[in-house]
Amino acid sequence: MKINRIQQIRKLLLEEHTLSIKDLCRRFEVSKNTIRRDISELEQQGLIRKVYGGIVLNEEALDSSAPEPFDSRAAKNENAKKIVARLAASEVLEDDVIYIDSGTTTMHMIPFLAGKGRVTVITSSLNVINMALDYPTLDVLTTSGALYVPSKAFVGSSVIRCLRDFNISKIFLASTGISIEHGATNASPLECEIKRYLTGLPSKKYLLVDHSKIDVASLMSYASLASMDCLVLDKLPPERYQTYCTTNNVRLLTPETSGSSRTGNL
């Protein structure tokens, strides 16, 4: 499928930085015209530059798309993020194997997991790893990868290879911003590839965002909101989001809806 092929081209670019049209045609067994259409779409996204006979990764786009420093983001809306993290942690049961995404909201889940018995936490986030040191009932497994300093997390294709070894029951994802039109977005192409892989797993998926991230679209989309099982916020979103969740069978978990069993409102 076209969307899968473009995602694979993007992944190859992040790994190899330079690709020829001839090689892409061979790898995907498609015509040059098909590959050229894919290239045009990637060019519109600003991720590549055309060169004679192929494409190269646009390093300037990667640099300009890097998120603001982690500590600066972590200080914003900290109380709201902790509310979201507490609600998300309430979904975790003893013996669960969970993935906690890198992010300034998801990391706050760790203290709320205390007292749940043995829980296995898989993560690529340095902050999650460090916070978990104080909680001996948490079994922490870390991914491999290259350290991406702006997010204090490991990235790269080796992260995805590592994740293939685990049977994850619940995935807790972070996002720079969400919207109905663009779904869950992120500022880092390096992190987006990992998030896309996680979104495609059969595990139960939770998206954690505070209210300031509603109707915000960052550089790249990694999933539609409809692909999530549960959207966790610190307060009720606008009415159109509530309608969207109900229509698409996405549970909406907020302080107002916590404890409800209705579809779309938990």
Side-chain angles (χ1 to χ4, degrees):
M1 293 178 62
K2 177 181 178 181
I3 186 168
N4 293 331
R5 189 173 59 250
I6 289 176
Q7 288 177 2
Q8 287 298 312
I9 294 173
R10 189 187 291 116
K11 179 181 177 181
L12 288 168
L13 270 173
L14 292 171
E15 293 174 351
E16 302 179 22
H17 286 227
T18 302
L19 295 169
S20 71
I21 292 177
K22 182 178 179 180
D23 185 40
L24 288 171
C25 291
R26 178 185 59 81
R27 292 193 197 210
F28 296 103
E29 298 180 342
V30 295
S31 69
K32 287 185 178 180
N33 286 338
T34 297
I35 288 297
R36 287 193 178 103
R37 286 193 291 270
D38 293 342
I39 287 173
S40 295
E41 190 164 328
L42 288 166
E43 188 178 31
Q44 290 174 6
Q45 296 175 12
L47 288 178
I48 66 163
R49 289 187 295 107
K50 290 182 181 178
V51 295
Y52 181 76
I55 55 176
V56 297
L57 186 67
N58 186 357
E59 301 284 355
E60 291 181 2
L62 289 183
D63 292 341
S64 64
S65 66
E68 65 178 292
F70 188 94
D71 292 338
S72 174
R73 290 185 287 126
K76 296 178 180 178
N77 301 311
E78 186 174 8
N79 288 337
K81 291 172 181 177
K82 288 181 178 179
I83 291 172
V84 173
R86 176 181 58 79
L87 289 168
S90 71
E91 296 286 302
V92 179
L93 304 175
E94 184 173 8
D95 295 326
D96 269 347
V97 178
I98 68 173
Y99 181 87
I100 298 182
D101 196 10
S102 59
T104 59
T105 302
T106 45
M107 68 180 187
H108 289 297
M109 287 181 63
I110 293 298
F112 298 111
L113 296 176
K116 288 184 173 289
R118 305 304 303 192
V119 174
T120 300
V121 176
I122 303 168
T123 189
S124 61
S125 167
L126 283 181
N127 285 80
V128 170
I129 296 167
N130 289 332
M131 292 179 75
L133 293 175
D134 294 328
Y135 302 94
T137 59
L138 299 179
D139 297 323
V140 180
L141 302 176
T142 63
T143 67
S144 57
L147 181 62
Y148 182 56
V149 176
S151 293
K152 295 188 178 180
F154 297 108
V155 297
S157 58
S158 58
V159 174
I160 295 175
R161 287 196 296 270
C162 178
L163 291 174
R164 291 189 181 122
D165 292 334
F166 302 115
N167 294 317
I168 303 171
S169 53
K170 293 166 185 171
I171 296 169
F172 297 90
L173 292 160
S175 176
T176 308
I178 67 168
S179 67
I180 291 174
E181 296 77 15
H182 299 285
T185 65
N186 191 268
S188 167
L190 297 169
E191 291 184 286
C192 270
E193 288 303 317
I194 299 169
K195 294 174 190 289
R196 284 195 186 100
Y197 172 78
L198 288 162
T199 304
L201 294 178
S203 318
K204 189 170 289 187
K205 290 167 280 290
Y206 297 80
L207 181 60
L208 284 62
V209 289
D210 68 79
H211 65 275
S212 69
K213 296 177 180 178
I214 296 174
D215 284 336
V216 174
S218 193
L219 177 67
M220 296 179 68
S221 299
Y222 69 83
S224 67
L225 298 185
S227 66
M228 299 296 162
D229 293 285
C230 184
L231 181 58
V232 191
L233 296 113
D234 58 306
K235 64 180 183 179
L236 280 171
E239 184 65 34
R240 67 192 187 99
Y241 282 85
Q242 297 180 49
T243 301
Y244 179 92
C245 286
T246 300
T247 302
N248 291 280
N249 199 30
V250 178
R251 297 169 63 201
L252 183 60
L253 180 54
T254 71
E256 296 88 348
T257 66
S258 181
S260 171
S261 60
R262 287 186 300 152
T263 299
N265 286 325
L266 227 184

